[in-house]
Amino acid sequence: MTTELKTGGQHGYLRIATEEAFGTAEQLDAILRLVKEGRADKGTVSLWGFYGTSPSERTTFIRERLLDLGELRLAAMDESGIDKAVLAITSPGVQSLFDLDEAKGIVTRGNDHLATACERHPDRFIGMTAICPQDPEWSAQELRRGKEELGFVGVQVNSHTHGHYLDEEQFDPILRACADMDIPLYIHPQGPPDDMIGGMVDAGLEGAIFGFAMETSYHALRLLTTGVFDRYPSLQLVLGHGCEGVPFWIDRFNYMFNAGVRSNRYPRLKPLQHSLHHYLRNNLWGTNSGLPSPASIKLMMEVMGEDRVCYAMDYPYQFVPDEVRLLDAMDIPHEQKVKFFQTNAEKLFGI
């Protein structure tokens, strides 16, 4: 018999899902307009040209659930035993837009909309701030507003912004604000930029199946290898989907990075204060969003430390309540399950 999933500490821990998406009609309309006008990059065209228009059961479910911050979402959380959801505006946020006034307006109204939902359901919904990285100084101010006025607990950046990455000097106001205000930075995937995507669309591999993780892990490695965490040692970076594979590859990353530094082959790569392992265990957090794999979760815990791995579902893109049952039954000590499902998220986000 299938065990009924319940909220309220069914197994001695609450389940806090830390990468759950919502959207606004205004945001999705703006993205679809770019697609229709032929101004969106290939990744956005592939993703939202499909999810924004297809009449299929899956896409209809996702669009409906993205826009809902009420009864449908709460019912899904109850069905899957999720006590609390950390919510962020869906990829690509406003990072594919070109009109800065439009993008910042969508962000401001989207943050206000999420804050209202969190106020309405304070025991269930927790918010992360959306920003407009195209304007880093404005984004830093919105981060302050998100934390101090709206009560948000982190910020989600949907990886690249028109092919540019957060290690670039222009984005330093965002990193500095996150470090100064103790705001966790969640880097969430979007499709690779046009100069990276190559033949992935034709191969059907540019999205969540591969391209997302490849592009987002590249973003994370740019931060890891260019001294960002030496400059901001308190900065906390969160990556989903098994920490985008970084724990699995960290030994090779570390060895080859140091070989590259010694060779003086790359002017951009300089010696760091610590090994890449150190930053992984002190500055990175990983969630299992969309990766309900006990083996992968155990690997993350072993490599990163059991205090730095959090649960996530990836609703509404991946809503499978049986995955919760699978992870409830993981063969790990109960104390580790409590950390994984509840207390690590509470520590990371200050919940």
Side-chain angles (χ1 to χ4, degrees):
M1 181 176 178
T2 301
T3 303
E4 181 182 4
L5 294 169
K6 298 180 180 179
T7 59
Q10 179 180 15
H11 297 297
Y13 47 78
L14 301 180
R15 302 185 190 92
I16 302 175
T18 55
E19 189 196 293
E20 317 308 302
F22 84 99
T24 68
E26 183 183 25
Q27 174 211 9
L28 301 186
D29 287 347
I31 294 169
L32 285 174
R33 188 180 70 249
L34 281 186
V35 171
K36 292 175 183 177
E37 292 173 350
R39 300 173 64 207
D41 63 24
K42 294 175 184 178
T44 301
V45 170
S46 180
L47 183 68
W48 283 107
F50 175 69
Y51 280 107
T53 62
S54 169
S56 72
E57 181 180 357
R58 171 172 166 77
T59 56
T60 300
F61 175 91
I62 287 172
R63 286 195 302 271
E64 179 183 58
R65 301 308 177 97
L66 281 173
L67 296 176
D68 174 78
L69 284 175
E71 296 309 313
L72 290 176
R73 188 176 296 265
L74 291 169
M77 291 171 65
D78 290 341
E79 179 184 350
S80 52
I82 303 301
D83 293 274
K84 300 181 182 184
V86 181
L87 303 170
I89 200 164
T90 195
S91 182
V94 298
Q95 291 168 236
S96 60
L97 304 185
F98 296 95
D99 185 321
L100 288 189
D101 288 337
E102 178 188 31
K104 289 186 284 190
I106 291 171
V107 163
T108 300
R109 290 183 287 275
N111 284 335
D112 290 344
H113 177 59
L114 177 58
T116 298
C118 293
E119 290 171 3
R120 189 179 301 122
H121 304 288
D123 295 330
R124 308 302 299 277
F125 295 163
I126 300 158
M128 283 200 285
T129 305
I131 60 173
C132 176
Q134 299 94 310
D135 188 333
E137 293 288 356
W138 182 90
S139 292
Q141 293 303 311
E142 187 66 4
L143 283 172
R144 182 173 298 279
R145 187 177 82 94
K147 179 168 184 174
E148 296 181 355
E149 297 181 23
L150 304 181
F152 290 161
V153 299
V155 56
Q156 179 167 297
V157 173
N158 296 287
S159 202
H160 73 89
T161 302
H162 297 302
H164 293 278
Y165 292 88
L166 290 175
D167 61 295
E168 297 175 31
E169 185 177 357
Q170 62 184 315
F171 298 116
D172 191 67
I174 295 171
L175 299 182
R176 185 170 62 249
C178 288
D180 289 348
M181 290 187 279
D182 193 23
I183 297 172
L185 168 61
Y186 203 125
I187 295 186
H188 183 277
Q190 65 160 303
D194 284 352
D195 63 0
M196 182 187 296
I197 204 165
M200 288 187 208
V201 176
D202 291 341
L205 297 175
E206 89 291 349
I209 187 171
F210 173 71
F212 283 3
M214 179 274 298
E215 193 274 340
T216 309
S217 62
Y218 168 70
H219 194 163
L221 278 172
R222 290 181 64 121
L223 297 172
L224 279 166
T225 58
T226 54
V228 165
F229 298 107
D230 290 344
R231 195 161 75 247
Y232 298 116
S234 66
L235 179 64
Q236 299 297 302
L237 173 65
V238 192
L239 301 173
H241 316 103
C243 202
E244 305 297 355
V246 173
F248 181 86
W249 288 95
I250 192 64
D251 289 324
R252 182 167 176 80
F253 289 156
N254 187 70
Y255 181 89
M256 289 301 177
F257 166 75
N258 285 298
V261 170
R262 289 193 301 271
S263 72
N264 293 315
R265 181 181 176 187
Y266 303 101
R268 195 165 185 262
L269 296 187
K270 305 296 182 184
L272 300 175
Q273 294 177 12
H274 305 283
S275 71
L276 299 188
H277 295 85
H278 172 91
Y279 304 113
L280 182 66
R281 295 182 70 91
N282 289 275
N283 298 95
L284 265 66
W285 299 68
T287 83
N288 76 302
S289 53
L291 189 66
S293 164
S296 299
I297 293 166
K298 290 178 185 178
L299 172 70
M300 293 168 67
M301 290 180 174
E302 181 175 352
V303 177
M304 303 181 71
E306 64 185 52
D307 295 329
R308 306 190 74 84
V309 182
C310 302
Y311 171 72
M313 176 175 278
D314 209 2
Y315 177 92
Y317 295 100
Q318 191 161 333
F319 176 58
V320 184
D322 272 345
E323 294 177 356
V324 180
R325 296 185 178 93
L326 173 67
L327 300 185
D328 278 337
M330 276 194 298
D331 183 23
I332 60 175
H334 178 74
E335 294 76 12
Q336 287 187 3
K337 286 185 189 177
V338 174
K339 291 180 178 182
F340 171 67
F341 275 110
Q342 178 181 348
T343 58
N344 285 350
E346 290 173 339
K347 178 181 177 182
L348 170 62
F349 293 113
I351 298 170

